[in-house]
């Protein structure tokens, strides 16, 4: 008679501090909102991926919290297959997520591996990479994300003559990792660390190992030819259905959205392999409008990087909307998604980057005219540097940038996302100043501004407490403090302390004599204290 074995129980040694999982409290929509800050389009795929990854980590957390150990039963991973053309945000999405969650992230390329593990590389190296990405923290590494690109290249289509051992071989080697296996880690000080790591992280030979059971796998590829397989199936399934959608949407329909696991098997994947990926997300090609939006997003690093390049020479770079539209138009023709954007920006701007530093030019407004004929524009600039035209172009571009920041904030509001502080026109200016002077993503600039705001509010609180009054800083006063602090690059505390010290005596005097204890601190309190006190005593 067969006896059901007791489920193996794995002990896990985690301390609150050690593992991000204990504090993991992100909701799918929050993660999606975070992605929205950076990633344009891909709404459907973004939603699926954010949700399944959130669920994955919540599940892992619950297992940990419930029993402080991980059961061997009942943990099915939400491994993900991503299908989509080049340069549309597949890798970017996962990088953003790993960054937001603070989990280690290792990226590999499936074409590199061969079945034997000797020719190209060993699939297990992926897991070792994760260990290094986690700075040698085994407990962190076991909850990492492994991203494997070009997975379509290890599909073994039936029309290959003879058995395609190496591709299916890699699939099988990966199967082991996807499921559960102990990967031997070659730690730098193997031997020394034996004492450090507890038993379960060592195999029989006493070597340090990393268990892959909780590692999330995401694989991606362009899957050329898959669309045909899907179309063929749809045709066979129902003749009417296909011609109907074709009629309705003409050419624009993305058939990949109808993909089923069966299609992937027909494409050349082993059934077991496909079975380990319960989630499929399809990325769309980027439209011209989306390429424009990527450039116009004040969080975009492609544009930011270009600005930083020019900043090196003290040149401030700004772009008009029509310049971005022109670049987007060109990028669409290349057919490499957003990858084309960086290349085109380089091509257009390198002549300027090369030449302008030798001249007394410290601003450059990138306009449609410049994008269409960079060389001609540069020649004109150098032959007539005094012309007002260049200043005007720059001014137009600066206004456009400011509008984009405004638009970004408005969009957040319409999406019901709470801003960390209310943005008045004055604060918009401050935000823009930070964004421009530090060349950071607008989210960072916003964080910086709101951090200063919080400090002012904290000072308001401590000032009140210390003087046993209720001091209320008016909005105008708060804005004034934020502006001065930014201008002087000074701490909030230092600045307020210096400005308000003289007032303390008056407040305590007033409190004693009038029994009043609520005081508004206006901008005047900082600018002209005599006048402020005079008005205070009068009131
Ligand atoms: N939808 C998008 N929104 C914003 N930026 C994007 C988007 N797609 C791509 N980018 C930008 O283009 C760069 C390249 O994109 P990514 O690495 O994600 O391409 P990919 O889809 O993984 O392509 P490949 O199949 O060639 O690996 C990203 O680093 C990002 O800056
Ligand atoms: Mg990629």
């Amino acid at each position: 008679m067969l006896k059901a074995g007791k489920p193996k129980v794995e002990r896990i040694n985690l301390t609150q501090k050690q593992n991000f999982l204990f504090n993991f409290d992100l909701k799918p929509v929050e993660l999606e909102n975070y992605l929205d800050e950076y990633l344009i389009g891909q709404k459907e795929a973004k939603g699926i991926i954010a949700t399944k990854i959130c669920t994955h980590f919540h599940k892992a957390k619950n297992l940990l919290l419930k029993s402080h150990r991980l059961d061997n039963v009942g943990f099915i991973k939400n491994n993900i297959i991503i299908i989509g053309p080049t340069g549309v945000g597949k890798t970017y999405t996962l990088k953003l997520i790993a960054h937001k969650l603070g989990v280690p992230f290792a990226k590999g390329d499936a074409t590199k591996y061969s079945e034997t593990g000797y020719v190209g590389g060993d699939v297990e190296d992926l897991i070792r990479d994760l260990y290094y990405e986690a700075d040698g923290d085994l407990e962190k590494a076991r909850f990492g994300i492994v991203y494997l690109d070009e997975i379509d290249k290890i599909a073994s289509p039936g029309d290959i003559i003879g058995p395609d051992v190496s591709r299916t071989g890699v699939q099988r080697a990966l199967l082991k990792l996807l499921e559960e296996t102990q990967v031997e880690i070659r730690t730098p000080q193997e031997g020394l660390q034996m004492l450090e790591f507890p038993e379960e992280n060592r195999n029989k030979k006493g070597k340090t190992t990393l268990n892959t059971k909780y590692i999330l796998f995401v694989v991606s590829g362009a899957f050329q030819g898959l669309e045909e397989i899907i179309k063929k199936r749809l045709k066979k399934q129902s003749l009417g259905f296909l011609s109907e959608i074709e009629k309705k949407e003409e050419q624009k329909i993305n058939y990949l959205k109808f993909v089923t696991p069966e299609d992937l098997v027909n494409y050349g994947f082993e059934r077991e392999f496909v079975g380990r990926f319960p989630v499929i997300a399809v990325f769309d090609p980027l439209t011209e409008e989306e390429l424009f939006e990527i450039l116009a997003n004040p969080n975009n690093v492609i544009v930011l990087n270009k600005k930083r390049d020019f900043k090196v020479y003290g040149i401030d770079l700004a772009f008009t909307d029509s310049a971005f539209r022109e670049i987007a138009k060109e990028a669409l023709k290349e057919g490499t998604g957003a990858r084309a954007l960086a290349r085109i920006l380089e091509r257009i701007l390198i002549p300027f980057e090369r030449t302008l530093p030798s001249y007394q030019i410290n601003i450059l407004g990138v306009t449609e005219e410049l994008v269409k004929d960079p060389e001609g524009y540069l020649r004109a600039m150098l032959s007539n540097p005094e012309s007002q035209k260049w200043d005007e172009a720059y001014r137009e571009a600066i206004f456009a940038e400011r509008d984009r920041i405004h638009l970004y904030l408005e969009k957040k509001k319409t999406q019901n996302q709470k801003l960390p502080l209310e943005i008045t026109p004055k604060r918009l200016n401050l935000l823009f100043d930070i964004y421009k002077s530090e060349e950071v993503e607008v989210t960072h600039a916003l964080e910086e501004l709101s951090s200063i705001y919080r400090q002012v509010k904290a000072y308001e609180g401590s000032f009140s407490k210390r003087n046993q009054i209720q001091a209320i800083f008016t909005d105008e006063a708060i804005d004034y403090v934020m502006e001065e602090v930014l201008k002087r690059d000074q701490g909030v505390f230092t600045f307020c302390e210096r400005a308000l010290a003289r007032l303390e005596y008056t407040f305590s005097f007033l409190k004693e004599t009038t029994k009043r204890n609520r005081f508004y601190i206006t901008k005047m309190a900082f600018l002209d204290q005599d006048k402020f006190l005079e008005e205070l005593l009068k009131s």
Side-chain angles (χ1 to χ4, degrees):
M1 200 177 87
L2 282 172
K3 258 206 285 186
K6 249 173 71 191
K8 254 200 299 178
V9 167
E10 213 186 315
R11 302 226 131 259
I12 190 151
N13 90 334
L14 287 172
T15 63
Q16 302 278 97
K17 262 190 294 172
Q18 244 177 337
N19 205 287
F20 78 99
L21 268 183
F22 276 104
N23 301 319
F24 184 70
D25 192 27
L26 207 60
K27 310 282 185 299
V29 173
E30 288 164 5
L31 185 55
E32 211 179 317
N33 286 342
Y34 169 77
L35 290 177
D36 279 341
E37 299 270 330
Y38 301 91
L39 196 82
I40 304 296
Q42 314 300 7
K43 196 157 174 28
E44 200 180 324
K46 194 157 55 180
I48 293 173
I49 295 171
T51 305
K52 294 322 288 183
I53 290 190
C54 249
T55 307
H56 170 84
F57 285 108
H58 275 291
K59 230 155 70 179
K61 175 188 173 178
N62 286 347
L63 276 173
L64 279 173
L65 288 184
K66 226 172 24 198
S67 49
H68 215 71
R69 61 179 155 65
L70 298 169
D71 286 306
N72 259 2
V73 279
F75 196 87
I76 298 165
K77 281 188 285 191
N78 292 320
N79 295 327
I80 302 168
I81 295 188
I82 297 181
I83 299 172
T86 187
V88 298
K90 303 188 297 296
T91 309
Y92 191 41
T93 303
L94 265 297
K95 274 192 185 157
L96 285 169
I97 291 179
H99 174 80
K100 175 75 179 167
L101 303 187
V103 297
F105 179 73
K107 185 172 161 286
D109 195 319
T111 47
K112 228 178 67 189
Y113 306 108
S114 68
E115 177 202 11
T116 55
Y118 291 108
V119 182
D122 191 333
V123 288
E124 292 193 347
D125 277 346
L126 271 175
I127 308 299
R128 294 182 193 110
D129 282 344
L130 202 55
Y131 170 77
Y132 288 106
E133 283 298 313
D135 288 326
D137 183 340
L138 269 180
E139 299 309 334
K140 219 170 159 187
R142 65 194 300 180
F143 295 101
I145 298 176
V146 165
Y147 184 91
L148 198 53
D149 221 344
E150 303 226 43
I151 198 73
D152 45 348
K153 303 295 172 350
I154 61 159
S156 173
D159 51 14
I160 284 187
I161 300 161
D164 190 7
V165 192
S166 118
R167 292 176 180 194
T168 42
V170 180
Q171 289 183 41
R172 294 216 184 100
L174 281 170
L175 262 182
K176 239 175 56 189
L177 295 187
L178 287 164
E179 203 66 335
E180 179 184 5
T181 188
Q182 301 276 352
V183 174
E184 227 174 70
I185 302 291
R186 298 174 202 117
T187 60
Q189 322 94 319
E190 190 67 79
L192 274 181
Q193 296 205 335
M194 286 200 23
L195 300 170
E196 231 175 89
F197 291 124
E199 198 107 18
E200 75 267 10
N201 289 330
R202 275 183 267 141
N203 62 9
K204 286 195 191 83
K205 286 182 271 174
K207 290 271 197 322
T208 308
T209 62
L210 178 55
N211 188 303
T212 63
K213 196 165 59 170
Y214 302 99
I215 292 172
L216 188 71
F217 287 85
V218 181
V219 299
S220 83
F223 292 83
Q224 297 248 328
L226 179 62
E227 203 160 0
E228 292 313 308
I229 294 175
I230 297 168
K231 263 192 197 171
K232 218 154 106 192
R233 170 176 58 78
L234 287 173
K235 255 190 199 130
K236 224 191 281 169
Q237 272 177 351
S238 127
L239 285 165
F241 173 62
L242 192 65
S243 56
E244 218 166 85
I245 46 176
E246 259 178 346
K247 230 185 286 157
K248 233 189 265 162
E249 316 236 355
E250 286 168 1
Q251 289 269 292
K252 268 183 281 167
I253 186 139
N254 186 354
Y255 287 97
L256 293 170
K257 297 240 150 123
F258 298 100
V259 69
T260 63
E262 198 57 35
D263 296 326
L264 293 172
V265 172
N266 288 333
Y267 189 76
F269 285 103
E270 303 268 293
R271 203 169 288 279
E272 294 93 322
F273 187 82
V274 176
R276 299 294 183 275
F277 292 89
V279 185
I280 303 179
V282 179
F283 276 61
D284 292 310
L286 294 169
T287 63
E288 187 179 320
E289 180 61 26
E290 283 168 338
L291 288 166
F292 166 75
E293 276 180 54
I294 290 174
L295 289 167
N297 178 3
N299 273 326
N300 181 273
V301 286
I302 304 175
V303 174
L304 221 52
N305 267 332
K306 218 44 234 161
K307 289 183 178 181
R308 288 182 189 141
D309 288 352
F310 276 73
K311 195 70 158 213
V312 168
Y313 302 108
I315 302 168
D316 190 50
L317 201 61
F319 295 81
T320 65
D321 278 3
S322 50
F324 279 160
R325 293 222 174 265
E326 191 59 31
I327 296 169
K329 200 154 89 187
E330 280 190 38
L332 188 73
K333 285 186 221 148
E334 265 198 34
T336 54
R339 285 184 194 285
L341 297 173
R343 220 170 5 245
I344 293 171
L345 274 177
E346 289 299 346
R347 178 175 60 67
I348 294 167
L349 290 171
I350 280 176
F352 293 86
E353 193 174 333
R354 172 175 165 268
T355 318
L356 295 190
S358 307
Y359 291 77
Q360 296 287 334
I361 294 172
N362 54 14
I363 51 171
L364 179 63
V366 182
T367 59
E368 182 181 351
E369 191 190 341
L370 185 155
V371 173
K372 281 185 167 155
D373 177 18
E375 296 284 350
Y377 196 92
L378 180 60
R379 267 196 308 276
M381 240 181 130
L382 298 182
S383 66
N384 189 7
E386 300 303 321
S387 164
Q388 284 295 304
K389 187 179 169 182
W390 324 124
D391 286 350
E392 275 159 27
Y394 175 74
R395 211 167 319 129
E396 187 196 339
I398 284 289
F399 280 129
E401 293 210 325
R402 204 170 169 284
D403 282 348
R404 277 178 222 129
I405 302 269
H406 191 205
L407 209 67
Y408 163 86
L409 296 169
E410 288 299 310
K411 204 168 125 197
K412 273 190 104 145
K413 259 194 251 164
T414 56
Q415 287 169 345
N416 271 335
Q417 289 185 45
K418 239 180 89 191
L419 292 174
L421 77 168
E422 202 201 325
I423 297 291
T424 57
K426 175 98 204 166
R427 289 177 195 167
L428 179 62
N429 284 341
L430 292 178
L431 182 66
F432 189 59
D433 286 347
I434 300 175
Y435 172 73
K436 283 305 285 180
S437 66
E438 299 181 17
E439 303 285 13
V440 287
E441 291 100 320
V442 69
T443 34
H444 289 202
L446 193 59
E447 262 164 35
E448 190 173 333
L449 190 67
S450 58
S451 146
I452 295 172
Y453 178 81
R454 282 195 304 273
Q455 287 173 42
V456 179
K457 292 306 272 182
Y459 184 84
E460 183 189 49
S462 77
F463 187 82
S464 297
K465 208 164 164 193
R466 181 158 30 116
N467 294 294
Q468 294 177 321
I469 57 169
Q470 191 187 358
I472 299 159
F473 284 34
T474 63
D475 272 353
E476 209 193 9
I478 294 177
D479 289 357
Y480 175 73
V481 173
M482 293 203 293
E483 185 178 10
E484 290 302 307
V485 163
L486 279 167
K487 207 158 53 187
R488 299 161 192 232
D489 203 10
Q490 209 173 35
V492 169
F493 186 81
T494 315
F495 177 77
C496 290
E497 208 53 10
R498 261 187 219 158
L500 300 183
R502 264 185 68 200
L503 298 178
E504 298 202 6
Y505 174 75
T506 314
F507 285 131
S508 77
F509 170 75
L510 279 175
K511 206 177 66 163
E512 289 299 314
T513 53
T514 67
K515 298 285 172 238
R516 186 178 154 196
N517 79 348
R518 237 168 98 99
F519 298 97
Y520 283 95
I521 311 271
T522 60
K523 184 173 164 185
M524 187 72 76
F526 293 91
L527 281 176
D528 185 345
Q529 294 183 352
D530 289 335
K531 198 158 168 210
F532 175 76
L533 289 172
E534 200 180 296
E535 277 173 12
L536 196 65
L537 291 167
K538 253 195 280 171
S539 67

